[in-house]
Amino acid sequence: MGVILTKIGVEMLKQKINDIMKLMDSIEYGFRDENGLNIMNTNPQKWEDEFYKFYYLQTPDELLDSKCGVCWDQVELERKLFQDKNIKVKTYFIYIIDNDMLPSHTFLTYESDGKYYWFEHSWGIYKGIHKYDSELELLLDVKELFKRDHNYVSENSFTYIYEYQRPKDHITCDEFYKYIETQKIIKTNKPLYFYHLVNKDVDMSKGLISLQYMYESRMYDLFDKNILKYKDRIINHWNIKKYKGKNILTREEYMDALNTFRGEYGSNYIYFFRYAPYKNLGSKINKLSKYKDIYRININDEEVQKLITNIFYGHDMSNSENKLLYKKYYENISKEEYFSKYNDNLLMNFSTLNHIGISFKNGRCPLEYLEKIDWTEN
């Protein structure tokens, strides 16, 4: 609960905040070299290529002396300035993971008279004090602006926000990222659920496990049982020349075929439907409901995203000759439309349902991130 201030108190607080902003205006963005020059301006290539080598987190006093720092440095000075004036703050770290790219930003917030404020100095185009009705509204706005400002990242990248406490002085770029991973992750994403069918008699203590996990863990009985469904596709339909028409495949050949046809994560994928199948879809589904359970996963949960190494959103109608699908397709499709092409009479009755493949770190999705749900009639 924020502090309720009198009109005079509100004006005094505003003046304190404005004084902090004026002091921050003496700080330029960048980092000085041993000659006192701002590397960002004097050597842009070094700034781009070697930031992680030369950077270390400055103390507030060092920043006041150098008058030059990145957002990580500036937030620590802001933290001290606010605390010196007895104003409680929160500090956040936002970053995007997209292959080798890790754009990030730190920012500070405070609460006053029931409102939430984003204090921004280092992010030039948004420099100022921004007011919101709720903390979530504030964080979502910063997140949207940050993603918009980094629209060069891929559509399938992940964005995370952490609330973090004061880090140690002089830590490096890599150490800063590692420190952030120990802090409190903030969940701002809307849920996006996908569903997986599991035999009722399956041991779920390890969660959902991939063929890769079964193979590497020497769970050969389970591997041999689950891999057989791919045999016909490998020898007859996937057009992998070395396996065409072959009668017997070794475990290693099965793995190779999956990775050849589906890419480097092929044997590690676990597959999910966008919506849970329901009993009235057809007689085959009705029979399935007798011996299978349904588990769902929220792929927008930030902690789940930390477990994911890759998501393949598939091709339309599960045919590699059809258009490639993306996350937006699954976000926008209704349950009715999703099941409209289902055909209970097909031998592979699920083949017309578009589905995704998720590759998890270590080849499995722990049970704690899955939720068992009931079968429904419709």
Side-chain angles (χ1 to χ4, degrees), residues 55 57 72-73 76 93 106 164 167-168 171-181:
Y55 176 79
L57 181 66
W72 301 359
D73 306 296
E76 292 315 307
F93 185 95
T106 56
Y164 72 101
K168 293 181 180 179
I171 59 176
T172 65
C173 182
D174 287 344
E175 289 171 337
F176 199 108
Y177 273 105
K178 288 177 182 177
Y179 169 71
I180 290 298
E181 292 283 341

Side-chain angles (χ1 to χ4, degrees), residues 203-224 226-227 251 255 258-259 265-270 358-367:
D203 177 8
M204 288 291 290
S205 61
K206 290 183 171 63
L208 295 177
I209 59 178
S210 67
L211 288 165
Q212 182 79 33
Y213 183 90
M214 296 176 199
Y215 177 78
E216 292 180 350
S217 302
R218 300 179 181 271
M219 303 166 69
Y220 293 138
D221 288 345
L222 192 59
F223 178 90
D224 294 342
N226 282 275
I227 200 68
R251 295 182 181 115
M255 298 288 285
L258 287 171
N259 293 326
Y265 302 102
S267 59
N268 211 38
Y269 282 134
I270 300 172
I358 303 179
S359 171
F360 294 94
K361 293 177 181 177
N362 302 317
R364 72 183 186 94
C365 177
L367 185 59

Side-chain angles (χ1 to χ4, degrees), residues 275-306:
Y275 292 100
Y278 51 91
K279 294 179 181 180
N280 289 343
L281 263 179
S283 61
K284 287 185 179 179
I285 303 296
N286 207 341
K287 290 177 183 177
L288 279 177
S289 68
K290 309 299 182 187
Y291 63 89
K292 284 187 180 287
D293 290 324
I294 302 176
Y295 287 86
R296 75 176 184 180
I297 188 171
N298 173 15
I299 70 166
N300 275 354
D301 182 285
E302 286 86 347
E303 290 183 349
V304 169
Q305 290 178 342
K306 289 285 185 180

Side-chain angles (χ1 to χ4, degrees), residues 281 316-317 322-323 329 333 335-344 346 349-354:
L281 263 179
D316 190 33
M317 299 286 285
N322 294 342
K323 69 177 180 179
Y329 164 82
I333 194 168
K335 181 177 179 179
E336 292 71 26
E337 185 181 356
Y338 183 73
F339 287 114
S340 64
K341 295 178 182 178
Y342 174 77
N343 188 341
D344 200 57
L346 292 176
N349 56 315
F350 285 137
S351 62
T352 58
L353 295 181
N354 294 325

